[in-house]
Structure formats: structure tokens, C-alpha cells
């Protein structure tokens, strides 16, 4: 069953990756690296058969699982996923990314598109926001989860650690933070700029229920996402590759915030077509 | 001369000044290629600190290092730097730390990235802090002079820089709070800074050709401190002022001038604030956003056609 599902996702994710690259190309600006690194994370959460309970028919249902993209610059991937899931973002609208008056702002705007849940783009704030939503759910007796994706560069912000300390203390067990550990930020690799290591020990010490997975493996991601704890919030350290799926972008710091030109677009689209096993075989083991 | 972004002028100037002033140190928060502090980093790797994405920590550390005789320049987008207001208010302001804050990517002129990355309230925030100097260069030469001025000045400085290139005007050497005059005029004066100086200057030429108004134009490069003697002279010369800025009209340079004129002008003078009007920024091409906010010469001319 899950093998079939994962094969389906692997094949569908190619169109999503193509859309991400196209959107950024047409916008002539945006962030391909950190969008591509979280495609498998987003599929595992949002796609049909994924972990989250949500529906394009009732996007503001009070009883929905919510996803907060703290690393807001990765939003092209989120737009592409919402489109894939049948939300009211059409293919044409996807290509209006970053254009004047478009709902598809360069960073998430929850007023223009309420199911984005939070307006982000200034790094470090999403985990606190997610903590608050999760606390509200508990008060309201709603048995749903709040997921929050943070970047590894972003995790250098102190506020992320405040959210960690606080969520564990307040037993916000319906919160899952996912670290897109793609090892790169803008000025270089995480370990050169400001290392997070030993990141796993830190979050364990903070009192989180923790999983460390290959962030391009559907098998590992969905298993970890489903394994929650009765009292502790969850942290999933997802080892990923920045620019995953487009070989010339993979692991390249320079592709953090640069749009592909026409030649690069074509090259990227072709290589995405060839790469059909991402998600099934993973690829990032730390 | 082509247009040069003031962030680039800043990076080059700091790298040059680093030779002369060994106490200059520089911090960045994972944006050194955008703020152009990378130019200093390449030259003086031992005096450059890449802090990672930690603006609050960077501000605190810079305050601390300033009390060991160093002159720290700390760089990020203006929105993220001034967003850590309490750290600036306490560690820099109240402590009277000799920290130079460099905020780049200010205004809607950055374009596609949208609201979250735009410095739109930075001047408003910084000018509330006692003893803070708030500067915005209009071009390359002036920016370099300001950086050197900031090095020599004892006390906190906020330098507001643009992502986009700016037209280079022929200006006298930078003098704190004395706005250079770019154009003669009568009755009305345009005071403008950053990306809006060129538009205001162009618009003034067209408006006077059209016989609508004949505005004088000044480069409002200092928002704080203001010079009472200089502003009194302006108030005696002109009846009306329009302040143009790529910043919120609330609390910005226009507000600073309006406050001064309301309180101290020998004869009450009218001040219009021309900027981002109590709204959020958004994505779009810089030229589209300039048009939307009436920041082009055409937009300014249209505004005067309607209102005169
Ligand atoms: C508070 C804040 N500081 C700086 C930035 C500018 N910025 C945008 S993305 C980025 C790097 C993010 O790195 P990471 O979190 O690792 O993202 P990813 O690799 O997933 O793209 C920076 C510094 C920002 N958006 N917010
Ligand atoms: Mg990263």
C-alpha cells in the first residue's frame, strides 16, 4: 500500500518541482534551493494519503491540522503543493508569483491566502506562532496537530530556542517542528557560519520527542511524523539536500536566492524529468 | 556615471576605511553578500564577524565590543535590524554604545521580496532613540562621506541604504543636518531622500515647465538631528514643504520635518508627507511599486495637478 503511495508521490513531485522552478524563473527572483529541499517533507504532510488532515473544500475548517512555514522564503514550494492538493491556486496563478497584486507574495501573506496560516519571511518567528496555535487547539479541545517547518540557518535565531524551551515546559504535545536540515544558508554552509551541532542532543535536552530522518525518504518521514508523544512536543530533524532534484543546484549555496535563466530553466526541467526516484530512495543521510 | 546602490558604496567605503582605521570591525547576520559587508570581510577577515541569522545577538555583541575601543558596523536589512528595537534601545541607545547600524534594502524599492524584507518603519523607530543619528545618503559619494563621518563620530548612527542604484547628483561635501540644495525655486520646497530624490527632482523640473509650481529641491540626508538654524531659514524662504521618502509617512523624515515646523517655525508652515501611506509593502517589480505609490516623476506631477 505505502509503496504504491510513495511511488505515486515520487512521480507527482516531479511536476511540483517543475512548477517551483518555473514560478521562480517567471518571477525572475525567489529561492529555489530551500524550496526544493522540502518537497518530500511537504508531500508527506499535505499530499493525499499524507499525515495532515486538511481539505481544499473547507480550508478554514476549525478542526484542521495546520502547517506553518516559518522559513517563509520557501513558499514557492508551498504554493505548488497547495495547487497540487486542489486548493484555489490555479496553474496560471502559480505563474504570477511575486507580481504586483498577486496573492502569491514573495513570502507568505496569510491575509491574502488564509490557509497559509501565518505571515512569515522574517526568520525565527514561526515556531512561537505554531506553539500558540497548538495551545489554542488544546484549550478548545480540538485534537489536531500543528506542524512547523524551520530552516537550519533559521534555527540560529534565539526565538526558535525560546519556542522549544517553552513548548516542552507547557507540554505542547500537539506541536511538531520539522527542521529542514539542508546544511546551507546564504553566506555559506551552516557548519562554517554557525554550527547547530550537536543539534539532536540539544533538542533532546530541551525535552522534545525526537526523530532524525532522511528528509527525502517518504518512508522515514511519514513514520516519524506519525509517531507522536503523549506529553512532549516533537522535533523531526530532516536531513535534506538544498536544491534537491536539480543536479546543478544540489548542495550549492549560490542557488539559495537566485532565479534560473532560460537555459538553466530548460536544463532544470529536463533533469527533474530524469530524476524519478527521489522520495523512494531518499538521498540525504546527514 | 551609472547608478550605484548605496549598499555597494558603503561596502567599498568601509573596506577602504578599514586601512586607515584599525579599530573598525564589522558584523553581519548572513546577508553579507547583500549588504556588501563582504567587501570588508574579504579585506579584513580577522575584523569581520559572521554572526549567522542572529540579529539580536549581533546588536548586543556590537554594543559590548564598542566598549573595548572598537568601532563596530553591524549590517543587515533595515527591517531585520531595527526590528530588534529593544536591543538597540537598551544595549546601543541607553548604553550610549558607539555602534554604527547599517540597514540596507530599505523601502518598497526592493521589489519582489515583498513586505517582510522591506525597511518601511526603520527611520521612525531609530529616530525615537535619544542621541541616535539617522542618515540616508542620496548617492555614492555622499554615502562614502557619511561612512567616514560615522567612523569619526562618537555615538550611535543609523545608516539607511538602498538595494537599487541611485542617480548621482553633484553635491557639496556632506555636512550633518544641512540639506544640500539641488534646485532653486519659490514658495514651495521639495525635501527628498533615497530613491525619491531623483523622482522629486525630475518632477520639480516638469512642474515648473508646466507652470504649475516652481519647487526648490533639497536632499534630506539627515533625519536626526535636525538643525534649527538651517530649518528656520527654510521656513522663512518657503511657505510649503513636501517631504518625499520611500518609508512610511508615519514617523519618517516627513513626520520629523512636520513636527519641527509645527513646533518651531517662526510662521506656521504646511508640510505634506509623501511616502508609503499607512499600508503594508508587497511584492512587485520595483518600477511597478514605484508607480503604485506615486513615486515616479509622473506620479508626483499627477499628484500636484490634482491638488493645486
Ligand atoms: C530575521 C531575518 N534575517 C535575515 C533574513 C534574510 N534571509 C532570508 S533566507 C536566509 C537564509 C536562510 O537559511 P535557511 O534557514 O537555512 O533556509 P534554507 O536553506 O532552507 O533556504 C536569510 C538570512 C530573513 N529573512 N529574516
Ligand atoms: Mg538551510
Amino acid at each position: 500500500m505505502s509503496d504504491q503511495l510513495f511511488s505515486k508521490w515520487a512521480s507527482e513531485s516531479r511536476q511540483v518541482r517543475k512548477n517551483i522552478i518555473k514560478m521562480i524563473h517567471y518571477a525572475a527572483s525567489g529561492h529555489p534551493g530551500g524550496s526544493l529541499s522540502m518537497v518530500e517533507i511537504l508531500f508527506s504532510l499535505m499530499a493525499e494519503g499524507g499525515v495532515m488532515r486538511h481539505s481544499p473544500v473547507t480550508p478554514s475548517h476549525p478542526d484542521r491540522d495546520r502547517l506553518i512555514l516559518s522559513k517563509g522564503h520557501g513558499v514557492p514550494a508551498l504554493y505548488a503543493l497547495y495547487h497540487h492538493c486542489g486548493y484555489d491556486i490555479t496553474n496560471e496563478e502559480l505563474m504570477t508569483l511575486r507580481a504586483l497584486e498577486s496573492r502569491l507574495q514573495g513570502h507568505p501573506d496569510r491575509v491574502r491566502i488564509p490557509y497559509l496560516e501565518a505571515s512569515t519571511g522574517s526568520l525565527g518567528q514561526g515556531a512561537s506562532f505554531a506553539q500558540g496555535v497548538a495551545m489554542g487547539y488544546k484549550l478548545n479541545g480540538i485534537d489536531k496537530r500543528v506542524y512547523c517547518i524551520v530552516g537550519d540557518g533559521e534555527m540560529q535565531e534565539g526565538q526558535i530556542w525560546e519556542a522549544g524551551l517553552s513548548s516542552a515546559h507547557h507540554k505542547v504535545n500537539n506541536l511538531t517542528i520539522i527542521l529542514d536540515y539542508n546544511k546551507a544558508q546564504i553566506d555559506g554552509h551552516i557548519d562554517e557560519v554557525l554550527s547547530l551541532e550537536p543539534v539532536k542532543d540539544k533538542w533532546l535536552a530541551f525535552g522534545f520527542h525526537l526523530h532524525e530522518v532522511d528528509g527525502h525518504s517518504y518512508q522515514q518521514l511519514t513514520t516519524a511524523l506519525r509517531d507522536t508523544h503523549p506529553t512532549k512536543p516533537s522535533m523531526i530533524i530532516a536531513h535534506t539536500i538544498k536544491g534537491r532534484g536539480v543536479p546543478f543546484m544540489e548542495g550549492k549555496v549560490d542557488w539559495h536566492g537566485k532565479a534560473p535563466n532560460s537555459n538553466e530553466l530548460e536544463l532544470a526541467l529536463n533533469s527533474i524529468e530524469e530524476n524519478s526516484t527521489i522520495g523512494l530512495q531518499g538521498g540525504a543521510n546527514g | 556615471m551609472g547608478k550605484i546602490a548605496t549598499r555597494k558604496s558603503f561596502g567599498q567605503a568601509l573596506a577602504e576605511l578599514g586601512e586607515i582605521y584599525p579599530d573598525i570591525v564589522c558584523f553581519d547576520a548572513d546577508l553579507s553578500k547583500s549588504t556588501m559587508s563582504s567587501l570588508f570581510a574579504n579585506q579584513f577577515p580577522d575584523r569581520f564577524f559572521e554572526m549567522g541569522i542572529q540579529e539580536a545577538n549581533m546588536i548586543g555583541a556590537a554594543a559590548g565590543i564598542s566598549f573595548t575601543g572598537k568601532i563596530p558596523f553591524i549590517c543587515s536589512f533595515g527591517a531585520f535590524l531595527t526590528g530588534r528595537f529593544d536591543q538597540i534601545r537598551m544595549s546601543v541607545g541607553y548604553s550610549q554604545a558607539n555602534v554604527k547600524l547599517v540597514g540596507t534594502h530599505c523601502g518598497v524599492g526592493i521589489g519582489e521580496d515583498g513586505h517582510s524584507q522591506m525597511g518601511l518603519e526603520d527611520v521612525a523607530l531609530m529616530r525615537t532613540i535619544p542621541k541616535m543619528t539617522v542618515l540616508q545618503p542620496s548617492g555614492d559619494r555622499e554615502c562614502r562621506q557619511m561612512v567616514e563621518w560615522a567612523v569619526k563620530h562618537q555615538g550611535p548612527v543609523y545608516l539607511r541604504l538602498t538595494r537599487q542604484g541611485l542617480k548621482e547628483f553633484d553635491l557639496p561635501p556632506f555636512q550633518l543636518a544641512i540639506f544640500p540644495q539641488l534646485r532653486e525655486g519659490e514658495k514651495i520646497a521639495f525635501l527628498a531622500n533615497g530613491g525619491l530624490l531623483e523622482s522629486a527632482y525630475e518632477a520639480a523640473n516638469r512642474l515648473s515647465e508646466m507652470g504649475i509650481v516652481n519647487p526648490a529641491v533639497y536632499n534630506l540626508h539627515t533625519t536626526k538631528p535636525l538643525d534649527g538654524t538651517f530649518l528656520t531659514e527654510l521656513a522663512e524662504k518657503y511657505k510649503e514643504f513636501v517631504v518625499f521618502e520611500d518609508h512610511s509617512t508615519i514617523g519618517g523624515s516627513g513626520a520629523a520635518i512636520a513636527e519641527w515646523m509645527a513646533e518651531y517655525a517662526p510662521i506656521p508652515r504646511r508640510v505634506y508627507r509623501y511616502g508609503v501611506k499607512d499600508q503594508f509593502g508587497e511584492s512587485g517589480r520595483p518600477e511597478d511599486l514605484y508607480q503604485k505609490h506615486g513615486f515616479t516623476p509622473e506620479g508626483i506631477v499627477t499628484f500636484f495637478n490634482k491638488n493645486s
Side-chain angles (χ1 to χ4, degrees):
Chain A
M1 174 56 216
S2 58
D3 281 358
Q4 261 177 5
L5 179 66
F6 298 158
S7 298
K8 183 166 165 273
W9 286 356
S11 114
E12 291 168 350
S13 71
R14 276 183 276 164
Q15 187 54 47
V16 165
R17 282 198 156 87
K18 285 184 188 173
N19 279 342
I20 292 170
I21 294 297
K22 280 195 219 162
M23 291 160 75
I24 296 174
H25 168 74
Y26 289 132
S29 72
H31 300 84
S35 296
L36 293 168
S37 64
M38 54 176 196
V39 170
E40 281 68 39
I41 297 173
L42 291 177
F43 260 85
S44 301
L45 287 166
M46 299 167 69
E48 198 178 346
V51 175
M52 282 177 65
R53 287 151 298 175
H54 69 114
S55 158
V57 187
T58 52
S60 53
H61 197 286
D63 244 21
R64 67 193 185 278
D65 286 332
R66 298 195 199 189
L67 171 61
I68 284 150
L69 182 64
S70 190
K71 42 168 277 192
H73 59 280
V75 74
L78 193 55
Y79 295 141
L81 248 294
Y82 275 120
H83 167 70
H84 173 76
C85 294
Y87 281 73
D88 66 353
I89 298 176
T90 62
N91 204 48
E92 292 72 61
E93 191 178 13
L94 275 184
M95 301 308 150
T96 68
L97 175 73
R98 294 176 162 243
L100 190 68
E101 310 285 332
S102 171
R103 291 197 302 165
L104 277 54
Q105 293 289 296
H107 295 78
D109 180 337
R110 71 160 298 285
V111 177
R112 289 173 204 249
I113 304 181
Y115 48 82
L116 294 176
E117 308 287 1
S119 296
T120 58
S122 180
L123 295 169
Q125 303 185 20
S128 305
F129 194 106
Q131 175 190 351
V133 176
M135 290 164 80
Y137 269 8
K138 284 168 74 100
L139 279 178
N140 291 344
I142 294 173
D143 183 24
K144 289 289 186 298
R145 284 195 88 73
V146 183
Y147 299 89
C148 176
I149 303 177
V150 305
D152 45 6
E154 180 182 23
M155 196 171 269
Q156 294 161 348
E157 288 282 3
Q159 192 181 341
I160 299 277
W161 300 91
E162 294 180 23
L165 197 62
S166 174
S167 307
H169 178 83
H170 291 283
K171 300 193 170 52
V172 188
N173 61 326
N174 56 340
L175 169 69
T176 297
I177 301 176
I178 302 148
L179 171 63
D180 181 0
Y181 201 177
N182 61 25
K183 318 294 183 295
Q185 51 194 107
I186 300 180
D187 281 348
H189 295 279
I190 303 286
D191 284 345
E192 302 157 4
V193 173
L194 180 58
S195 176
L196 299 171
E197 290 301 331
V199 69
K200 181 179 168 184
D201 298 347
K202 287 173 187 163
W203 286 96
L204 281 172
F206 271 49
F208 268 64
H209 180 58
L210 188 136
H211 291 279
E212 190 171 13
V213 303
D214 179 330
H216 298 300
S217 158
Y218 292 127
Q219 183 69 55
Q220 292 188 31
L221 280 167
T222 49
T223 306
L225 285 165
R226 289 210 162 88
D227 177 52
T228 60
H229 191 277
T231 55
K232 297 175 173 183
S234 296
M235 166 62 69
I236 296 181
I237 296 175
H239 292 282
T240 56
I241 296 169
K242 203 155 174 170
R244 181 65 168 147
V246 178
F248 67 87
M249 292 183 180
E250 286 190 2
K252 295 282 188 326
V253 169
D254 283 351
W255 281 103
H256 169 82
K258 189 170 77 167
N261 63 28
S262 307
N263 290 338
E264 290 160 344
L265 172 71
E266 201 180 308
L267 205 61
L269 295 180
N270 289 336
S271 56
I272 290 167
E273 196 55 54
E274 288 154 17
N275 263 317
S276 55
T277 56
I278 303 173
L280 305 175
Q281 297 180 342
N285 287 304
Chain B
M1 187 170 179
K3 293 189 177 189
I4 298 179
T6 48
R7 59 185 169 126
K8 189 167 174 196
S9 315
F10 155 74
Q12 291 174 345
L14 198 67
E16 284 164 20
L17 291 165
E19 298 282 357
I20 310 167
Y21 300 92
D23 286 332
I24 294 177
V25 293
C26 182
F27 294 70
D28 205 300
D30 199 30
L31 285 169
S32 71
K33 288 179 262 184
S34 296
T35 65
M36 301 283 180
S37 69
S38 57
L39 298 175
F40 182 90
N42 294 340
Q43 204 89 356
F44 306 102
D46 296 343
R47 286 150 60 189
F48 176 79
F49 301 98
E50 169 60 77
M51 299 299 278
I53 311 174
Q54 298 201 319
E55 296 79 8
N57 188 42
M58 172 168 79
I59 293 162
I65 207 170
S66 76
F67 290 104
T68 67
K70 302 297 174 206
I71 307 169
F73 279 73
I74 62 177
C75 317
S76 183
F77 288 5
F80 305 139
L81 209 52
T82 64
R84 275 63 183 172
F85 183 69
D86 190 24
Q87 280 76 16
I88 299 174
R89 177 178 185 266
M90 287 303 300
S91 299
V92 177
Y94 194 39
S95 308
Q96 284 300 288
N98 190 25
V99 173
K100 318 302 170 184
L101 301 127
V102 181
T104 68
H105 291 63
C106 289
V108 300
I110 70 163
E112 289 84 353
D113 270 342
H115 180 73
S116 65
Q117 323 286 303
M118 291 171 170
L120 292 176
E121 314 84 7
D122 51 319
V123 170
L125 289 163
M126 290 302 100
R127 75 184 187 88
T128 61
I129 296 175
K131 312 250 189 248
M132 180 71 75
T133 299
V134 180
L135 302 175
Q136 180 165 13
S138 70
D140 178 61
R141 235 171 308 134
E142 191 169 75
C143 182
R144 292 163 183 274
Q145 291 167 1
M146 280 182 183
V147 177
E148 182 151 23
W149 184 91
V151 173
K152 292 179 182 159
H153 173 73
Q154 176 67 37
V157 176
Y158 178 62
L159 194 61
R160 182 176 206 249
L161 305 179
T162 55
R163 170 177 188 251
Q164 76 270 30
L166 300 179
K167 180 182 160 78
E168 189 73 8
F169 285 97
D170 196 13
L171 296 168
F174 169 67
Q175 205 186 337
L176 186 72
I178 309 298
F179 311 154
Q181 185 165 6
L182 270 60
R183 186 182 193 284
E184 299 286 334
E186 54 207 346
K187 293 195 185 115
I188 182 166
F190 285 3
L191 315 181
N193 56 29
L196 281 184
L197 185 60
E198 182 182 0
S199 300
Y201 179 76
E202 263 303 307
N205 285 337
R206 290 191 208 172
L207 285 164
S208 92
E209 275 166 31
M210 294 160 75
I212 298 174
V213 279
N214 183 23
V217 179
Y218 289 83
N219 168 22
L220 200 177
H221 58 34
T222 308
T223 302
K224 192 181 182 185
L226 294 174
D227 184 300
T229 313
F230 176 73
L231 287 181
T232 302
E233 276 170 35
L234 288 192
E236 281 165 354
K237 259 196 200 148
Y238 310 100
K239 290 204 176 88
E240 289 185 358
F241 296 87
V242 188
V243 180
F244 298 87
E245 61 189 319
D246 189 352
H247 180 278
S248 171
T249 53
I250 298 174
S253 301
I257 298 296
E259 286 164 11
W260 191 92
M261 290 290 171
E263 206 166 338
Y264 306 114
I267 319 146
R269 292 303 187 204
R270 185 129 206 180
V271 180
Y272 295 92
R273 298 163 305 153
Y274 200 105
V276 178
K277 293 204 173 307
D278 200 14
Q279 55 186 297
F280 296 107
E282 67 191 300
S283 295
R285 292 183 308 160
E287 53 272 32
D288 291 344
L289 289 170
Y290 259 45
Q291 197 169 9
K292 175 166 179 169
H293 290 274
F295 287 176
T296 57
E298 297 74 31
I300 296 171
V301 168
T302 308
F303 173 82
F304 275 88
N305 264 333
K306 267 194 236 146
N307 292 281
S308 57

